[in-house]
Amino acid sequence: MKKKRSTFKGTLGFVLAAAGSAVGLGNIWRFPYLAAKDGGGLFLVIYLILVLTFGYTMLTTEIAIGRLTKTSPLTAYEKLDKRFSWIGKLACLVPMIIMPYYCVIGGWLLKYFITFISGDAQTATDDAFFGNFITSASDSIMATIVFLLICAVIILGGVNRGIERASRILMPILVVLVLIISIYSVTISYSEGGVTRTGLEGLKILFIPNLKGLTIGKFATTLLDAMGQLFFSLSIAMGIMVAYGSYVSDDSDLGKSINHIEIFDTGIAVLAGVMIIPAVYVYMGQEGLSASGPGLMFKVLPKVFAQMGTVGTIIGTLFFIMALFAAITSAVSVMEAVVSSFCDAFHLKRKHATLIETGIALFFGIIVCLGYNVLYFELKLPNGSVGQVLDLMDYISNYIFMPVIAIATCILVGYFVSPKTIVDEVEKNDSTFRRRGMYIVMIRYIAPVLLGILLLQSFSVFG
Ligand code: PHE
């Protein structure tokens, strides 16, 4: 007899798990930076419009595909149309590429959390601290292993006792921590050379649209930045939402859940801006805002926390545990996309599939760590950045494979299985699909074009 597929126990469990996947490092280390760089409020408005249209379309499509086919990414697409089975293979390959390097970054977060909680925050203010850590292969490999094992244990627990439970615990704590840090960040001020900078001024940089010197080129950059960020932030095109959608019970209201996931992800991204921009602005001035990614998280922020004095150690500790939670729930979703695919396609037990994926992530994770050591190289990527193994893996998955998967999904749904299939899936049990007309136009015409532009930009076609 076929084993019954696990389902999330409640709609809230599903929303928290999917939001746990969506809320990750992208929200924390990339969104605030892009908002500050691209004219504050202008970026926010464009981002919001895209969330409600493009993001909504892609998220709905993937979750509905999962629930409709009741299977994981590797087998879901072929159920819809045999000619598109390759999307499933790619959608399983992408999380296999992402998992190893996500664990390496998770390991960095662990290291910083431990450094802060043990009262050594001061040592992290030295720029060499981060460099020394990542170039010492043994330390970063150890941290990677610990992070990977935490994720593997959650996955082994299964959909309810593992993923759903972890999300129900970690996500509310994350929200509370983000709120505490945000409130603190807005209330601080600092005087230097007779000038006082306040958190409220920093908030203006985030929210007030800066239209000075706005050109069509600048507007286009803002649009592309917002779209790329949104795409990554909603965890689309990497099999995750298909896998999670396959665990949603037929009687839950899909439309409502999708709205909640979007509100959660966007809300935390904006709050991350409130948390980071005023604090960095107050202590480092406008120049501090030019950092993003690991530079912001592991070099600039420790200096900001140090400037806060004793409170800084507490705020820094809370910040790194919050980021660690965000990373764990995201990494768990990446791992689940692979594990559920292995279970469904090869009829493996969860335990065995988890073991295999842990082995793969460990092997490539070690290679990523060695990328800052014996395997060091400086590779110029087609999008203009220079990087090591981690950046190469990130480029291939995020800049090439993910847009390709998303474009192919739009073509599959728009022209082969028909958008009506997805609409019907959402409208099951009288759920209302309010943005239905928009959805059909979006999936057929606009989303594939936007995604095509995004893919071309990966090769710096538009400079
Ligand atoms: N959506 C996550 C974020 O915004 C990113 C993510 C990437 C999640 C890869 C899972 C896998 O950070």
Side-chain angles (χ1 to χ4, degrees):
M1 202 184 82
K2 214 167 161 286
K3 211 173 138 253
K4 198 173 166 300
R5 192 170 191 78
S6 308
T7 50
F8 287 113
K9 274 213 196 75
T11 308
L12 181 68
F14 163 57
V15 170
L16 290 178
S21 170
V23 173
L25 296 171
N27 301 56
I28 301 167
W29 77 23
R30 200 145 166 266
F31 184 92
Y33 154 80
L34 287 177
K37 172 175 91 73
D38 286 338
L42 176 67
F43 176 85
L44 293 186
V45 171
I46 294 180
Y47 188 85
L48 279 179
I49 295 174
L50 285 173
V51 169
L52 297 172
T53 53
F54 170 71
Y56 175 80
T57 301
M58 299 310 296
L59 194 61
T60 303
T61 304
E62 295 202 1
I63 294 177
I65 289 180
R67 189 169 78 167
L68 174 70
T69 57
K70 298 270 182 306
T71 184
S72 40
L74 188 52
T75 37
Y77 295 89
E78 67 188 31
K79 266 200 168 177
L80 294 175
D81 190 317
K82 280 249 165 333
R83 288 165 293 182
F84 284 82
S85 69
W86 62 272
I87 309 183
K89 298 196 175 83
L90 213 51
C92 177
L93 181 65
V94 167
M96 282 171 79
I97 300 175
I98 295 180
M99 188 62 190
Y101 74 79
Y102 216 79
C103 288
V104 173
I105 300 173
W108 299 349
L109 288 169
L110 261 176
K111 167 80 178 174
Y112 273 68
F113 168 63
I114 292 169
T115 306
F116 269 76
I117 201 161
S118 50
D120 286 339
Q122 200 56 40
T123 56
T125 54
D126 187 347
D127 273 347
F129 180 81
F130 181 60
N132 288 343
F133 169 61
I134 63 170
T135 49
S136 122
S138 59
D139 282 1
S140 63
I141 290 174
M142 266 313 289
T144 303
I145 293 176
V146 175
F147 184 86
L148 174 60
L149 289 181
I150 297 174
C151 298
V153 167
I154 296 175
I155 293 291
L156 274 179
V159 175
N160 301 124
R161 285 191 312 122
I163 301 170
E164 195 170 351
R165 190 162 62 172
S167 313
R168 277 178 189 269
I169 300 171
L170 300 183
M171 295 311 287
I173 302 180
L174 179 141
V175 173
V176 173
L177 292 176
V178 169
L179 284 172
I180 295 175
I181 305 171
S182 299
I183 293 169
Y184 181 73
S185 178
V186 176
T187 51
I188 48 180
S189 61
Y190 182 65
S191 301
E192 186 182 43
V195 190
T196 304
R197 288 187 296 263
T198 66
L200 281 177
E201 283 163 18
L203 212 54
K204 285 193 195 149
I205 300 178
L206 176 64
F207 286 110
I208 299 200
N210 176 7
L211 303 177
K212 233 192 314 170
L214 183 68
T215 56
I216 295 192
K218 232 179 133 209
F219 184 79
T221 312
T222 305
L223 190 70
L224 276 175
D225 280 350
M227 195 162 61
Q229 170 64 14
L230 169 68
F231 184 61
F232 180 73
S233 191
L234 286 175
S235 303
I236 317 172
M238 44 182 130
I240 294 174
M241 291 301 168
V242 175
Y244 277 12
S246 76
Y247 301 134
V248 178
S249 72
D250 279 333
D251 47 28
S252 76
D253 186 333
L254 221 50
K256 231 190 223 159
S257 308
I258 291 167
N259 287 341
H260 292 160
I261 298 166
E262 284 196 316
I263 294 171
F264 209 121
D265 185 52
T266 310
I268 295 288
V270 174
L271 277 176
V274 177
M275 190 167 69
I276 289 171
I277 297 197
V280 173
Y281 170 75
V282 164
Y283 292 114
M284 323 272 295
Q286 198 86 31
E287 315 79 270
L289 296 173
S290 59
S292 71
L296 170 70
M297 186 90 115
F298 301 116
K299 290 185 177 166
V300 175
L301 286 180
K303 291 198 186 80
V304 169
F305 297 136
Q307 295 267 26
M308 293 173 182
T310 342
V311 193
T313 305
I314 301 169
I315 295 285
T317 308
L318 297 180
F319 176 83
F320 283 110
I321 187 89
M322 179 278 299
L324 196 56
F325 285 178
I328 290 173
T329 47
S330 291
V332 160
S333 72
V334 180
M335 198 170 193
E336 179 61 20
V338 181
V339 168
S340 66
S341 289
F342 286 177
C343 292
D344 290 339
F346 311 119
H347 307 289
L348 292 179
K349 285 215 172 78
R350 171 169 285 270
K351 197 166 57 185
H352 298 143
T354 310
L355 209 65
I356 296 172
E357 167 57 5
T358 305
I360 297 172
L362 180 62
F363 179 77
F364 289 101
I366 291 176
I367 293 187
V368 172
C369 291
L370 295 179
Y372 298 101
N373 191 280
V374 288
L375 298 178
Y376 186 83
F377 56 70
E378 281 182 16
L379 186 69
K380 192 156 184 334
L381 298 166
N383 64 352
S385 64
V386 178
Q388 286 74 49
V389 183
L390 189 152
D391 308 274
L392 178 64
M393 289 167 84
D394 182 56
Y395 178 77
I396 294 173
S397 51
N398 280 294
Y399 289 81
I400 313 279
F401 288 167
M402 282 166 57
V404 169
I405 293 172
I407 294 172
T409 307
C410 291
I411 295 172
L412 168 67
V413 172
Y415 301 96
F416 289 84
V417 298
S418 114
K420 188 166 178 309
T421 318
I422 302 295
V423 172
D424 288 347
E425 183 58 34
V426 177
E427 287 185 338
K428 229 182 205 166
N429 1 290
D430 301 328
S431 299
T432 38
F433 195 155
R434 289 216 190 90
R435 282 171 261 171
R436 186 179 162 169
M438 184 275 299
Y439 174 82
I440 297 172
V441 176
M442 202 73 200
I443 192 90
R444 282 210 147 139
Y445 311 108
I446 304 179
V449 173
L450 290 178
L451 287 160
I453 297 173
L454 200 64
L455 181 59
L456 288 177
Q457 187 56 10
S458 303
F459 300 98
S460 298
V461 172
F462 309 107

